[in-house]
Amino acid sequence: MTSILTAPTESVFDRIADALVEHGYILLNDGPDAGITRALFDRTQELSHAFRRAGVGREQDQHLNSQIRQDEIHWLSVNDATEAAYLEWMETLREAINRRLFMGLFDYECHFAHYAPGAFYKRHLDAFRGQTNRVLTTVYYLNDDWKQEDGGELLIYPESGDEPIERVAPQAGTLVIFLSDRFPHEVLPAKADRYSIAGWFRVNASLGNQIDPPR
Ligand SMILES: O=C(O)CCC(=O)C(=O)O
Ligand SMILES: [Fe+2]
């Protein structure tokens, strides 16, 4: 069945796939529509008491963690209609990328993140080559009136080198997608409360009866 929505949506997926092949990343602002972005922001306000300080990998040392990242997070689930709508968009993207690039993306997980004023996430990689099943990172921003003086940019670095290749303002509707093991990145401290959804498409790395990703 063709609908008036099919063409533009498919062309977004084409653009994403082409950019991943050519550059390994893409920034866009015509992903999930504005209505869902607003509803997702409202959801962060409803959930504010459910956010918890994020950890770094398997690191349990809270002091060490807070020198690296200071955001607090809440995982999305299909139990809420707004969160389900975002997960549904990502599921469509997962299938579209697998069809175009045969990446074997197996599932997707994502969390809301709140960076209070002053909070940061130091330069890091989301995955290390061959050591993780996170292969493709997405970051989606939810603040609809972000100002330049609020700071809080995402800096994306090349595989080697200290000069950022992108400085992304966390403005509502901006979606960033990049190969998780290729691009070091960091979140600069902001002056305002900064809300985003960070997510990862994963491959199935199960071996024998050890289930990975864990359920
Ligand atoms: O919020 C952002 O801009 C990036 C967050 C991030 O790098 C992460 O959660 O791994
Ligand atoms: Fe990251």
Side-chain angles (χ1 to χ4, degrees):
M1 195 187 83
T2 48
S3 87
I4 197 154
L5 287 175
T6 308
T9 308
E10 288 300 316
S11 82
V12 170
F13 297 149
D14 284 340
R15 249 168 49 233
I16 293 171
D18 289 350
L20 289 177
V21 169
E22 199 170 331
H23 308 291
Y25 76 95
I26 184 170
L27 321 177
L28 64 155
N29 52 23
D30 55 353
D33 69 63
I36 173 179
T37 312
R38 179 74 219 179
L40 287 163
F41 177 82
D42 293 345
R43 192 78 190 124
T44 64
Q45 305 305 294
E46 279 165 33
L47 284 168
S48 60
H49 297 291
F51 278 67
R52 298 284 175 267
R53 282 296 298 275
V56 178
R58 298 198 163 90
E59 186 54 69
Q60 291 306 310
D61 183 331
Q62 192 52 52
H63 176 69
L64 203 63
N65 274 337
S66 67
Q67 296 177 346
I68 301 170
R69 69 185 293 186
Q70 300 184 327
D71 56 329
E72 43 172 32
I73 65 172
H74 184 79
W75 292 90
L76 275 73
S77 89
V78 292
N79 300 330
D80 171 79
T82 302
E83 297 173 28
Y86 184 75
L87 290 165
E88 181 64 33
W89 197 91
M90 287 298 170
E91 174 61 16
T92 312
L93 175 60
R94 187 185 71 80
E95 289 166 357
I97 290 183
N98 280 344
R99 270 201 308 277
R100 287 164 177 78
L101 304 182
F102 307 103
M103 284 180 74
L105 303 178
F106 175 73
D107 74 353
Y108 179 75
E109 57 179 2
C110 63
H111 60 61
F112 291 111
H114 167 224
Y115 291 75
F120 55 77
Y121 194 156
K122 289 274 165 67
R123 179 174 163 150
H124 66 281
L125 270 176
D126 287 350
F128 294 95
R129 207 157 276 184
Q131 281 185 15
T132 173
N133 40 42
R134 287 182 170 180
V135 290
L136 196 60
T137 299
T138 65
V139 193
Y140 191 58
Y141 298 104
L142 303 178
N143 287 84
D144 67 4
D145 55 354
W146 199 260
K147 297 173 195 62
Q148 203 186 340
E149 61 267 27
D150 292 332
E153 291 100 342
L154 168 72
L155 303 188
I156 303 175
Y157 294 94
E159 271 182 286
S160 55
D162 288 332
E163 201 48 49
I165 49 174
E166 297 288 347
R167 307 179 71 96
V168 185
Q171 173 63 36
T174 298
L175 176 63
V176 183
I177 306 175
F178 58 88
L179 296 173
S180 304
D181 66 3
R182 282 241 332 247
F183 298 95
H185 53 281
E186 75 174 304
V187 178
L188 297 181
K191 294 202 172 72
D193 290 288
R194 177 190 192 273
Y195 293 94
S196 58
I197 302 176
W200 299 271
F201 290 103
R202 306 191 291 181
V203 291
N204 184 356
S206 301
L207 262 187
N209 58 4
Q210 189 184 330
I211 296 177
D212 187 10
R215 296 267 107 202

